[in-house]
Amino acid sequence: MDQDKIGLNTVCTHTGELKDELYKGATSPLYMSTSYAFEGVDIKRYPRYFNTPNQLALSEKIAALEHAESAMIFGSGMAAISTALLAFLEAGDHVVLQKMLYGGTYALVTEQFDRFGIGYTFTEGSEPADFEAAIRDNTRVIYFETPSNPLLTITDIAGIAGIAKKHGIVTMIDNTFASPVNQTPIDFGIDVVIHSATKYMGGHSDILAGAVASSAEAMERIFKVARSLGGSLSDYTVWMLERSIKTMGIRVKAQNENAGKMAAYLSGHSDVAAVFYPGLPGHPGHEIAKSQMKGYGGMLSFELGPGLDASGFQKALRLIKPSMSLAGIESTVSSPCKTSHALMPAEERKEQGIADGLIRFSLGIEDFQDLTKDIEQALRTIKGKAVAAR
Ligand SMILES: *Cc1c(COP(=O)(O)O)cnc(C)c1O
């Protein structure tokens, strides 16, 4: 079937599925073998070669979702990120990275790259000009994230791709926060798209996985490094991930809708001081987000009004769980200053606009009124405590 002609939910449900020819079962059969008979000199099937039947089938689905020629599935988002970066960088090279990045990526670069002799520069801001200003003669890769954690900063994807093409530099984007449902960066000229599939692709907080999608040529290069680094995913988890992605389209649309409504609700709330969501017309990246996203995503962040205790508020929630990860079908909240950005010096956090009371909110698929009821009861609880303490 022509992938361009079929809808997103059909790609999610059917593309790349394995047919159960033997019993005509509805789902893809699961092949757990780590040993396969030789099929010819060129084909050696082995999970760490990323070419088992289930790995190949799911790769096809992910490639179709990202409008890419080819894709690979990894054991974690960080396995995908480290493998992709190391496939295009060697000693003496330089990489330009966006200032606001996932903490694990920041740690990979700042803790490991010096040992490999790979230079790096973090941009001053998130405008294309900030990226161009950081480019050197030996820059081989530009790496960025949009929307980024935790202020949902938006970067102009086509703008970055244009600058990179002008200088002959490979572009890589972490597309985790948007998911391929909301954003397909290859359509805007990006070379390599990376996911923590632990998030929206898995969507149920029970799978750790990663994915990379790109041209067949780039994926060949990434594959050669990947089979040495060994970051493949077990076939059982590949199979679980395939099942999860079948519902990704409808899950993410429900999450988009809840996040959009929640952003509007919190913006109009007298106990809320600030809301960060790219779908809000007042968000600095709104116009660019509108031009490059199909939906604004299920993540937002906000600050409570003066005198309201952010950590007490999170503890008082009953339905919405304070939790470390994101993008599951259950709504969760976290404090970036205590989790994802805990290692960043307080001064640097302040400079980036990450207030100590900032709350990151990952919207699930619950009924909206149950989420607002929970927020209202938590606000009443902390206000009652404040009065009692006086
Ligand atoms: C979680 C996350 C990662 C890392 O993925 P793991 O699956 O935990 O290795 C990378 N980028 C973003 C944006 C993430 O949210």
Side-chain angles (χ1 to χ4, degrees):
M1 240 189 288
D2 185 343
Q3 300 301 344
D4 294 336
K5 301 259 162 60
I6 65 174
L8 174 88
N9 285 315
T10 313
V11 173
C12 283
T13 335
H14 291 296
T15 301
E17 66 192 334
L18 293 172
K19 292 263 182 281
D20 175 3
E21 301 291 355
L22 204 52
Y23 297 108
K24 316 287 180 208
T27 67
S28 291
L30 167 58
Y31 299 98
M32 287 295 290
S33 290
T34 53
S35 175
Y36 288 86
F38 293 114
E39 286 174 53
V41 247
D42 293 336
I43 307 173
K44 297 180 193 77
R45 246 181 241 288
Y46 190 55
R48 186 167 48 75
Y49 293 167
F50 297 80
N51 63 358
T52 63
N54 291 91
Q55 286 173 332
L56 292 176
L58 181 57
S59 298
E60 195 184 323
K61 195 193 289 293
I62 290 173
L65 285 166
E66 282 295 355
H67 304 172
E69 283 173 7
S70 183
M72 276 168 69
I73 305 139
F74 288 83
S76 69
M78 284 313 302
I81 291 166
S82 54
T83 305
L85 281 169
L86 291 175
F88 284 91
L89 292 166
E90 58 187 48
D93 288 348
H94 175 258
V95 51
V96 170
L97 305 115
Q98 183 169 327
K99 183 182 200 164
M100 295 232 188
L101 273 192
Y102 176 71
T105 311
Y106 179 81
L108 166 71
V109 171
T110 55
E111 290 172 16
Q112 310 297 333
F113 277 20
D114 287 333
R115 298 195 301 123
F116 295 120
I118 300 167
Y120 51 87
T121 304
F122 289 96
T123 58
E124 287 290 320
S126 302
E127 297 296 323
D130 295 312
F131 285 81
E132 189 153 36
I135 292 172
R136 299 188 191 163
D137 288 346
N138 58 341
T139 303
R140 300 281 171 265
V141 173
I142 290 179
Y143 185 100
F144 70 112
E145 236 174 85
T146 181
S148 74
N149 193 16
L151 295 173
L152 290 308
T153 308
I154 299 296
T155 305
D156 177 353
I157 301 176
I160 302 295
I163 283 166
K165 289 228 157 66
K166 200 167 83 189
H167 295 270
I169 297 170
V170 171
T171 43
M172 296 188 187
I173 187 171
D174 182 333
N175 203 29
T176 301
F177 264 40
S179 92
V181 179
N182 289 325
Q183 185 168 280
T184 45
I186 286 175
D187 297 338
F188 296 86
I190 295 303
D191 299 310
V192 179
V193 179
I194 308 175
H195 281 279
S196 167
T198 311
K199 313 296 164 53
Y200 287 104
M201 286 191 177
H204 296 72
S205 312
D206 55 7
I207 289 171
L208 187 84
V212 178
S214 188
S215 66
E217 195 188 337
M219 290 315 297
E220 188 56 32
R221 186 168 172 148
I222 291 167
F223 164 67
K224 284 189 181 138
V225 176
R227 73 180 166 195
S228 297
L229 292 181
S232 55
L233 185 66
S234 140
D235 278 300
Y236 180 68
T237 317
V238 168
W239 183 83
M240 294 226 343
L241 185 56
E242 186 206 342
R243 190 183 70 165
S244 293
I245 294 179
K246 283 174 196 263
T247 56
M248 181 173 65
I250 54 172
R251 271 192 281 113
V252 171
K253 273 174 201 151
Q255 287 166 300
N256 286 346
E257 197 184 314
N258 268 347
K261 282 196 214 160
M262 186 57 74
Y265 180 81
L266 293 173
S267 297
H269 202 295
S270 54
D271 290 335
V272 174
V275 181
F276 304 89
Y277 185 63
L280 290 174
H283 187 281
H286 178 66
E287 286 307 318
I288 292 168
K290 203 164 151 184
S291 71
Q292 66 192 22
M293 299 182 82
K294 285 163 233 169
Y296 298 108
M299 300 295 303
L300 62 84
S301 55
F302 67 102
E303 290 167 26
L304 293 177
L308 294 172
D309 168 22
S311 93
F313 168 77
Q314 292 180 65
K315 281 186 201 127
L317 291 165
R318 290 186 195 140
L319 179 68
I320 305 163
K321 294 189 197 90
S323 121
M324 155 103 179
S325 201
L326 58 105
I329 48 164
E330 67 285 352
S331 291
T332 60
V333 285
S334 73
S335 287
C337 83
K338 291 194 183 127
T339 55
S340 57
H341 293 68
L343 296 177
M344 187 179 274
E347 271 306 301
E348 173 70 18
R349 274 204 307 263
K350 204 170 176 187
E351 197 204 309
Q352 295 203 10
I354 305 166
D356 283 348
L358 186 77
I359 300 168
R360 191 185 70 185
F361 196 168
S362 169
L363 274 296
I365 62 167
E366 300 93 340
D367 293 296
F368 184 69
Q369 72 272 20
D370 296 328
L371 298 174
T372 52
K373 259 188 225 158
D374 195 26
I375 288 167
E376 293 306 329
Q377 72 76 23
L379 284 171
R380 276 198 303 275
T381 305
I382 57 165
K383 284 181 180 170
K385 280 202 182 130
V387 170
R390 242 179 250 155

